[in-house]
Amino acid sequence: ALDNNSLTGNLDSIEKMKWLTNIYLQDNRFTGILTNEFMSGLNSLELLDLSNNLLKGRLPRGLLHHTALRVLDLHENRLTGALPTSIPHSTSLQVLAIQDNVLTGSIPASFQNL
């Protein structure tokens, strides 16, 4: 865990750590845009906590389709736009924390799959 520091920069290097199952990087100063390809190679990832950073962009659909991910915490960032319209029935996601961003629109019907 590297949470509660003043770490900066983007998160590109984390994508190369394919063996990680839990990532705790909350309460830092990471920047960058979360893309749909973000974390696509981390097939064992079960928990991702990037809350309280300076991340931008839309909530990546790819994270919601990640089969092993159980906890996704992106609250208190600068995420914008509408929520993804589809979440697969096969998702393992149990916790989705995205409060305190700049998200817009309505909650899609597919969120009932969570």
Side-chain angles (χ1 to χ4, degrees):
L2 293 171
D3 55 317
N4 295 308
N5 286 290
S6 295
L7 300 173
T8 61
N10 62 41
L11 299 170
D12 292 343
S13 60
I14 293 170
E15 295 180 25
K16 296 177 178 96
M17 300 178 193
K18 299 186 183 306
W19 46 269
L20 290 176
T21 58
N22 298 306
I23 298 176
Y24 295 94
L25 293 174
Q26 70 271 24
D27 300 314
N28 280 289
R29 295 186 182 135
F30 288 111
T31 59
I33 296 174
L34 297 181
T35 64
N36 281 328
E37 294 78 30
F38 180 71
M39 303 301 214
S40 62
L42 298 175
N43 297 327
S44 300
L45 189 63
E46 296 178 3
L47 182 145
L48 176 61
D49 191 343
L50 297 174
S51 61
N52 198 19
N53 278 286
L54 303 170
L55 301 170
K56 296 180 181 180
R58 295 179 176 270
L59 181 63
R61 277 186 313 243
L63 284 177
L64 297 177
H65 290 264
H66 201 292
T67 56
L69 193 63
R70 294 179 298 107
V71 177
L72 176 59
D73 192 343
L74 297 172
H75 81 273
E76 289 190 50
N77 277 287
R78 296 178 180 169
L79 300 178
T80 58
L83 297 172
T85 56
S86 66
I87 294 179
H89 289 285
S90 61
T91 186
S92 298
L93 199 60
Q94 297 172 353
V95 176
L96 175 62
I98 52 176
Q99 70 271 20
D100 296 322
N101 281 286
V102 194
L103 300 169
T104 59
S106 59
I107 299 173
S110 65
F111 270 57
Q112 69 185 355
N113 296 335
L114 294 176

